[in-house]
Amino acid sequence: MRSVGAGLSEQSAQPEYRIEDLAHHSGATVRTIRAYQDRGLLPRPERRGRSNVYGDAHLARLRQIADLLDRGYTLASIKELLEAWDTGRGLGGVLGLVAEVHGPWTDEEADRISRAELDARFGGTPDEEAIREAVELGVLERLPDREGEEYLVPSPQELAVAAELYAAGVPLAAITGHLRELRDQVEHIASRFLEFTTEHVFARYLEHRPPTDADANEAATMVRRLRPLAQQTVDAELARAMRLLATRHLQIHLSSDPPQMKDDQPRAVSLPAGTIRAVQGLVGAEGVEAFIAAATEREVHKRTLDALASNHHTSGVFDQSP
């Protein structure tokens, strides 16, 4: 067996790899390959004398695992998918569904921007803290081969909005704070849309784990059909809300005697996304509003009782005669 790159077996005429060669071609480390074998994710190699021999099937499997990991799947879920493939239940449809869900949810294309252009759009003075925050938020991505000189911009539209706000006088710290808050709220909306469509549309395709090729292919087709609906719904509702609230906001600020908010008028309160998820885990998405309202009322009642008890205790102390 030749050991330069991949050799060809005289018996099978198929490429053969030592573990070091397999690591080189797949991008995985030798340690990772052995760990995958131990976990049952990768078939054992063929033993030839004192050597272990790997083939193209091992290389293809490693590339499948790497692709699924990049898409956010855990090793446990990857093992389920690969076991389905190995038992003849198919994986092509599932991988197609994975690719469809993981694909772009917008027609916007990423762009690049030089550090000099970036500084010019935001005041002309280099601001390392602002760059760090933009990278942390994913507004900018570092390019290893252009570190500090050029950045990838996943959403040029989002960066353009930030630049316009800055030009209008909004401080960078306020812009990043607003984006963090907005992102939490939008992720909650996306979560609700996914729960809604899963319950009413996708549940029937996902009854089997993993789904059959036919079900996965149908689900992928449905994803393509429904993909634009989330953004279209949010766009329409945001336009409606902006028209309604902007008019009301302007009336309040132009009035010489701003109207007072009625005590019984509902008020919007922003809550951290983590809090919302925790409550959903307790009572389900449909019970979040009622749970938070009940918890708030309970806390108000508790504090009222504590205050009454404290006042009674204090007055009792001072009313005692010497």
Side-chain angles (χ1 to χ4, degrees):
M1 179 180 67
R2 291 192 293 263
S3 60
V4 180
L8 289 177
S9 165
E10 293 180 359
Q11 296 177 344
S12 63
Q14 294 295 322
E16 294 179 346
Y17 308 90
R18 298 175 306 175
I19 191 168
E20 295 83 3
D21 301 326
L22 184 65
H24 172 73
H25 285 281
S26 67
T29 65
V30 169
R31 184 177 179 180
T32 296
I33 292 172
R34 288 178 174 146
Y36 288 167
Q37 288 176 183
D38 293 340
R39 298 189 63 159
L41 289 162
L42 191 68
R44 293 284 176 180
E46 182 180 344
R47 190 73 177 173
R48 296 273 183 82
R50 296 182 180 179
S51 301
N52 288 327
V53 178
Y54 298 84
D56 274 347
H58 294 91
L59 181 59
R61 175 62 57 89
L62 285 172
R63 287 171 175 167
Q64 283 179 339
I65 294 171
D67 181 60
L68 290 167
L69 285 173
D70 286 343
R71 298 179 190 276
Y73 285 78
T74 64
L75 287 176
S77 59
I78 291 173
K79 185 177 181 181
E80 287 187 5
L81 292 174
L82 296 177
E83 284 176 349
W85 172 268
D86 291 338
T87 55
R89 284 183 282 157
L91 186 60
V94 174
L95 292 179
L97 176 59
V98 169
E100 195 65 49
V101 171
H102 190 72
W105 286 72
T106 174
D107 294 334
E108 189 176 19
E109 295 183 1
D111 199 359
R112 293 189 176 202
I113 187 170
S114 69
R115 177 60 189 267
E117 183 184 356
L118 193 61
D119 291 341
R121 293 179 70 177
F122 290 92
T125 304
D127 188 334
E128 297 302 327
E129 177 62 19
I131 293 290
R132 185 193 66 77
E133 282 204 273
V135 170
E136 182 180 324
L137 286 166
V139 177
L140 300 175
E141 291 183 9
R142 301 187 189 277
L143 296 168
D145 58 330
R146 301 282 294 168
E147 183 69 34
E149 299 178 9
E150 192 175 34
Y151 295 88
L152 180 70
V153 186
S155 173
Q157 181 176 316
E158 188 171 52
L159 185 64
V161 169
E164 286 294 332
L165 289 172
Y166 181 81
V170 183
L172 279 175
I175 294 173
T176 55
H178 173 71
L179 178 57
R180 290 182 190 277
E181 180 182 353
L182 181 64
R183 183 165 293 179
D184 282 345
Q185 295 169 348
V186 171
E187 286 179 359
H188 174 64
I189 293 172
S191 176
R192 288 293 297 118
F193 187 83
L194 289 171
E195 290 169 0
F196 170 77
T197 52
T198 297
E199 178 183 357
H200 296 285
V201 178
F202 292 106
R204 61 181 178 268
Y205 300 116
L206 305 175
E207 292 176 347
H208 305 94
R209 293 193 59 185
T212 64
D213 257 9
D215 283 346
N217 285 328
E218 287 189 44
T221 300
M222 193 61 68
V223 169
R224 286 192 292 274
R225 285 181 53 190
L226 299 184
R227 187 191 299 275
L229 299 189
Q231 183 169 348
Q232 290 171 3
T233 302
V234 172
D235 285 348
E237 283 300 309
L238 180 61
R240 182 200 63 80
M242 287 298 296
R243 182 174 63 252
L244 174 66
L245 298 180
T247 300
R248 185 183 302 167
H249 201 67
L250 185 62
Q251 290 172 346
I252 290 174
H253 285 274
L254 292 182
S255 173
S256 58
D257 185 20
Q260 298 296 318
M261 182 175 286
K262 297 179 181 179
D263 290 338
D264 60 349
Q265 183 174 342
R267 306 183 188 186
V269 177
S270 298
L271 294 174
T275 301
I276 297 294
R277 286 193 292 269
V279 175
Q280 283 182 337
L282 291 172
V283 299
E286 68 283 354
V288 169
E289 185 176 342
F291 181 89
I292 292 175
T296 304
E297 290 177 4
R298 179 180 178 181
E299 181 66 18
V300 170
H301 290 160
K302 180 179 179 299
R303 294 192 182 195
T304 301
L305 292 173
D306 288 345
L308 288 172
S310 177
N311 290 340
H312 174 73
H313 177 72
T314 303
S315 62
V317 170
F318 285 101
D319 288 345
Q320 291 177 354
S321 300

